[in-house]
Amino acid sequence: MFLDRNDILILKEFLHKNNMQLKELTGLLNLKERSIKYKIDNINYVLSESGYDIKLKFEHYNLMLTDKEKKLSQFLRNFKIENYSFNKSERVEVLEFAYLFTLKAYKAEELEGVLNMGRSALKSDLYELKKSFARENLSFSSTPKLGLSVKGSENTIRRLMIERILKYFYVKDFYKLLLKDDTCMISRAVEFFAKNILSYDTKKIFDMLKLLEKKMNKVMSEEGFRVLLIYVLVSSFRTGKFPLTAEDVSNESFLKSAEEYKMINEAVKEAGETAFNEYEILKFTEYLLGTYSYNFKYSFYDNWVKMETLAKEMIKNIEEETGILVTNKKFEEEVIRYLRPAIYRIKNDIQNTAVDYKKVMERYNFLYKATEKSLKSLEEFLGKKIDANEIAYLTVYLRMAVENYRKNEKRETDKNIVVVCKYGYGTSQLIKGRLDYIYKVKNIKVLPYEEYLSYNLDNIQLIISSLNLEKSDRNIPIIKVSPLLDDNDIKKLDFYLERKIPRKIEVKKIMEIINKYTFLESNPEMLKELAEYCNDISYENNSAVMELLPEENFTAE
């Protein structure tokens, strides 16, 4: 007396129609006619045994539904999940929800009964779930006699919980959480495992958020309000056993300086939410700031809660503008750390006084211009123009990332390089000639665009082209250049290739030689002028950048 995913799909098709062609079903389910006819017999048997006067029957090649009392939707809503045969991917999906939404460990038998599965199937599913959790840097922890529980970053666990609630539930009247589809068996199973968190008083959270809106004299977007309500619900559920700590919160001083932080403290006390510690309030503040810090046509969840979405877009733009690969986890985290306070400053017209944009433009004009272009997506997201000082601030951030890349990047003279142009001659030969003249290069392969599309790039370290090429999934730098390699092109290529003529003379070495024979007092202006003349990047990194932004101020706060 079991139904599976395909059986339910067939029945749900008849919620809005009375008949269906057999060939439609074969296309929908990717099954042969004989298999579909067998399924119809099984569905009719289950309907009859469940006491419903509903029947599916074939007339020629047309499947008809007889449902005089219009009770099909009632049957689907009331069908017991223990009589549903979950497939593997469905079971893993439900198990993920179960482990995220529990404050205790689960024993195997507790899960086997709900999902109608055996021990060997459960072990196999948990192995798949373990791999899925590992991608989020989460893991299973085993407690003797109690079972398995999930361990890892509290921020990650809460983010995944918010994602799952948004996936399966909708918020009615701004505070009631109801299933989006109560005829879906996965949703029904998920609801079973969500019963503890659903028992929390969401109306109390709703009232607290409305009080906050009144205190701030600002209106949150509908999506922002909904996500914030779910976040506070998840926090209330988790904080008793798994409270946030200092390591879960970044930009602490910035958040504490926001007026909203004080208002949240007041609102939480008035609402009687005594379980929230200081770090819960800080994280609450971070979420709240995002609800009105962006252009409403953009998703608050994707671009504030999951700030890495916006950070990755910015980094991609920076790489395209500069031709410099800066992608790494640490830099992405730094950009995220920079973005939230920056968005708050920009939306609230707070001037960034940490840097002088004129000095940054004077010293790093190319990088400043590239950063300015890369911030267009952020301007669209905010619906507001970004001022010069804010651009300069990120330019200095980027400069530091570039210098870190330079330290780690090996400029071997035997790099395998591909030069791509439309036809493989003319333009590409000009580029190859200029590369041979300026840089210590040995292995340059010239390719027409069509051949490049199918070329094996496994051993290629650098791609240079006059065309707009899509970024390779192998993370190979792609540098767009003009045929004659202008000054900006050479600046890009200098990050990856060694010049035949030395690219720099170290000021430090010059001073060592001078002081070997006579004492010369170190003069900052003299050192700066020498560095500019010698193009000493190491001196620039250690001195000039820090001069623009003192080290103690070089934070996103």
Side-chain angles (χ1 to χ4, degrees), residues 149-388:
S149 58
V150 180
K151 299 295 179 186
S153 162
E154 185 61 21
N155 280 329
T156 300
I157 291 172
R158 293 188 187 192
R159 174 176 59 78
L160 291 174
M161 289 176 72
I162 294 170
E163 286 181 11
R164 299 308 176 264
I165 291 176
L166 288 171
K167 180 177 181 179
Y168 297 110
F169 296 87
Y170 73 97
V171 182
K172 184 180 180 182
D173 300 330
F174 288 98
Y175 69 91
K176 296 176 187 173
L177 284 177
L178 300 175
L179 282 179
K180 287 181 178 179
D181 183 0
D182 58 2
T183 65
C184 170
M185 293 300 115
I186 297 177
S187 296
R188 297 264 302 283
V190 155
E191 186 180 36
F192 174 83
F193 289 109
K195 59 187 177 185
N196 288 332
I197 195 170
L198 293 178
S199 68
Y200 275 65
D201 188 355
T202 48
K203 181 63 167 62
K204 183 179 177 182
I205 298 171
F206 170 83
D207 291 339
M208 181 173 68
L209 295 182
K210 295 307 287 184
L211 175 63
L212 266 174
E213 278 191 329
K214 188 175 179 181
K215 284 177 179 289
M216 296 185 301
N217 195 28
K218 292 179 180 177
V219 178
M220 304 178 209
S221 71
E222 185 176 327
E223 184 210 11
F225 192 99
R226 184 170 66 247
V227 173
L228 194 59
L229 182 139
I230 293 170
Y231 174 75
V232 177
L233 172 64
V234 167
S235 298
S236 301
F237 178 70
R238 296 279 302 178
T239 193
K241 193 168 183 179
F242 304 103
L244 294 181
T245 63
E247 67 179 28
D248 297 312
V249 178
S250 60
N251 295 318
E252 184 176 334
S253 60
F254 156 69
L255 293 170
K256 281 185 175 179
S257 68
E259 282 296 316
E260 290 83 352
Y261 172 73
K262 299 170 188 174
M263 295 175 187
I264 289 175
N265 259 314
E266 294 170 3
V268 166
K269 287 175 184 175
E270 289 176 33
E273 192 63 72
T274 55
F276 276 15
N277 65 22
E278 177 188 4
Y279 304 108
E280 297 285 1
I281 301 294
L282 286 167
K283 185 59 72 171
F284 188 172
T285 305
E286 183 181 284
Y287 270 69
L288 176 66
L289 294 180
T291 59
Y292 53 83
S293 293
Y294 68 104
N295 186 333
F296 281 11
K297 72 178 181 179
Y298 286 81
S299 167
F300 159 69
Y301 182 76
D302 286 340
N303 293 288
W304 183 268
V305 179
K306 291 178 71 178
M307 184 61 77
E308 60 265 27
T309 305
L310 189 58
K312 284 176 180 174
E313 177 67 19
M314 273 185 58
I315 292 169
K316 175 175 172 284
N317 291 342
I318 288 167
E319 289 180 344
E320 286 176 356
E321 288 296 331
T322 62
I324 304 161
L325 276 179
V326 291
T327 302
N328 61 65
K329 192 65 180 172
K330 188 174 185 303
F331 182 62
E332 186 180 311
E333 288 170 357
E334 283 295 313
V335 171
I336 291 171
R337 190 165 179 261
Y338 157 81
L339 275 173
R340 286 198 175 103
I343 289 170
Y344 183 77
R345 285 193 298 269
I346 294 162
K347 289 297 286 187
N348 291 280
D349 298 315
I350 299 171
Q351 188 75 20
N352 187 337
T353 57
V355 293
D356 182 344
Y357 81 91
K358 291 179 181 177
K359 288 184 178 179
V360 175
M361 282 186 71
E362 180 184 346
R363 189 172 294 277
Y364 307 123
N365 187 261
F366 167 70
L367 205 53
Y368 178 91
K369 293 293 184 186
T371 304
E372 185 177 29
K373 287 181 183 177
S374 73
L375 288 172
K376 293 299 179 187
S377 60
L378 181 59
E379 288 184 335
E380 290 175 11
F381 168 64
L382 295 173
K384 201 162 187 177
K385 183 76 176 169
I386 299 174
D387 70 32

Side-chain angles (χ1 to χ4, degrees), residues 510-520:
I510 292 174
M511 295 304 296
E512 284 176 0
I513 294 170
I514 291 172
N515 285 316
K516 189 176 178 181
Y517 298 99
T518 182
F519 175 74
L520 182 64

Side-chain angles (χ1 to χ4, degrees), residues 75-84 185 188:
F75 167 78
L76 289 169
R77 286 195 301 272
N78 295 336
F79 184 70
K80 295 179 180 179
I81 57 174
E82 55 263 36
N83 291 331
Y84 179 75
M185 293 300 115
R188 297 264 302 283

